[in-house]
Amino acid sequence: MDLSALKVFLAVAQERSFSRAAAKVHRTQPAVSQAVRRLEVELGEQLFDRSSKTGTLTEAGKMLQNYGQRLVRLAEETESAVRELRDLRRGRVLIGANEAAVHTLLPLIARFRQRYPDIAIDVRRVPARQIAVEVQQGSLDFGALTFHPAEEGLLEVPVGSDELVLLVPPSHELASRRQVTMEDIAQEPVVAHNDPSPARERVLRLFEEHHVPLQMVIALPSLDGIKRAVELKLGVALLPRRCAITEIASGRLVAVPVAGVSRKRQVISVCRKAHRSHATDAFLARGAGQE
């Protein structure tokens, strides 16, 4: 059975008029009449009572309308399922994050890749203040943040937690301490990130509120550069613990909690509440909310 002809028939049955149905399906009235006639020839039954001016369906027409609606719905569901399968095979998830948040996202990405190895994951470095806006506008599928954005229409999903720690070389005198104070850090040269992120500003504000000056002697553009500088004993650094998991595990760096500064921070993933791709929904369902 010709599915396009079946859709034309259903339009006529709903509108009870060949002319109105023609306008609805964007065809001429003769084309609509021919489509219906082809169905009648194929089925060997008349579908409309030609003696009626109101487009009354015959018994065969009523039966075809009932089954035809189900056939069209099934065809649409089939097309949707195939599109979803194609999206999950060839799709891409675009994520915005700053350098520190990437380390929290990696376990989530690893879980997702086990299930959907054909979907490309593109993590782009985006300033934290800009992430929610780009997600809202559709430029990004997801964004990783450590604060709740003010933008509307976004879904927030916890993806992990982290805490700020003082990173020092193993030979440093503070390495053996269970905890250090802000005053202890004030005596040390500090290697910092030169990216003016909200996290950096929160730390600076915290030290200012306690009237403790920081000696920021070196500013670098990357976390790897900062960690390497600490290993070379050029200074100490205040960074999220997860950023230095490998160096801490190997003994190249030591993480020391800071009183009044080191507290758990929830890392959240934000995405749009509506109009998400199948790949985005799969990414959200596979790993979000798991630590």
Side-chain angles (χ1 to χ4, degrees):
M1 185 176 295
D2 186 346
L3 194 61
S4 62
L6 181 58
K7 290 179 179 179
V8 169
F9 161 76
L10 291 174
V12 177
Q14 182 180 23
E15 298 296 329
R16 291 291 192 266
S17 165
F18 280 75
S19 59
R20 288 196 298 270
K24 183 175 181 179
V25 298
H26 307 291
R27 293 192 184 184
T28 63
Q29 186 169 334
V32 168
S33 298
Q34 289 174 10
V36 172
R37 182 58 185 158
R38 285 200 303 273
L39 283 177
E40 290 179 327
V41 171
E42 183 176 354
L43 295 172
E45 293 285 345
Q46 190 169 319
L47 301 175
F48 291 95
D49 184 354
R50 296 297 195 274
S51 64
S52 172
K53 295 183 180 180
T54 58
T56 302
L57 290 168
T58 62
E59 288 302 314
K62 292 177 182 177
M63 182 177 293
L64 180 61
Q65 183 184 33
N66 181 27
Y67 281 97
Q69 288 171 340
R70 285 189 263 174
L71 282 171
V72 169
R73 281 197 301 270
L74 183 59
E76 291 172 349
E77 290 173 8
T78 302
E79 290 176 4
S80 177
V82 171
R83 281 196 304 270
E84 182 172 346
L85 179 62
R86 183 177 63 247
D87 286 346
L88 289 177
R89 284 179 174 172
R90 305 175 185 174
R92 182 184 66 162
V93 176
L94 187 57
I95 304 172
N98 60 25
E99 240 190 318
V102 169
H103 294 269
T104 304
L105 290 173
L106 287 176
L108 171 61
I109 292 172
R111 290 194 295 269
F112 179 75
R113 291 283 298 162
Q114 289 177 351
R115 179 66 178 84
Y116 301 107
D118 295 326
I119 295 182
I121 297 178
D122 187 351
V123 182
R124 298 185 179 179
R125 186 170 178 176
V126 180
R129 292 189 187 89
Q130 190 178 337
I131 286 176
V133 175
E134 293 204 18
V135 171
Q136 188 183 49
Q137 294 174 347
S139 303
L140 296 172
D141 295 312
F142 283 96
L145 296 171
T146 56
F147 59 89
H148 298 286
E151 286 73 15
E152 297 180 352
L154 298 179
L155 176 67
E156 298 180 15
V157 182
V159 295
S161 61
D162 208 347
E163 63 174 342
L164 206 65
V165 294
L166 181 70
L167 294 178
V168 298
S171 59
H172 196 283
E173 61 180 358
L174 297 179
S176 60
R177 300 268 293 272
R178 288 190 174 184
Q179 190 179 66
V180 297
T181 64
M182 294 185 193
E183 288 74 17
D184 292 328
I185 299 174
Q187 307 303 315
E188 302 290 333
V190 175
V191 183
H193 206 297
N194 57 19
D195 179 20
S197 65
R200 182 177 185 271
E201 291 180 5
R202 283 197 297 269
V203 171
L204 292 176
R205 186 168 58 250
L206 193 58
F207 274 80
E208 287 175 1
E209 290 172 355
H210 287 78
H211 306 289
V212 178
L214 280 176
Q215 301 182 53
M216 291 194 294
V217 296
I218 301 176
L220 296 173
S222 71
L223 295 178
D224 285 338
I226 294 171
K227 292 184 291 184
R228 180 60 177 155
V230 174
E231 288 184 43
L232 293 174
K233 303 180 182 179
L234 297 178
V236 300
L238 283 162
L239 289 178
R241 181 189 293 271
R242 189 165 289 195
C243 295
I245 287 178
T246 302
E247 292 82 1
I248 295 169
S250 65
R252 288 152 51 195
L253 291 176
V254 175
V256 186
V258 183
V261 177
S262 296
R263 57 180 179 271
K264 287 285 186 180
R265 300 183 308 162
Q266 183 69 58
V267 181
I268 61 172
S269 174
V270 296
C271 62
R272 285 175 292 174
K273 290 183 178 179
H275 308 298
R276 296 189 300 264
S277 69
H278 295 304
T280 300
D281 280 336
F283 187 86
L284 182 65
R286 184 61 185 170
Q290 301 180 37
E291 176 63 41

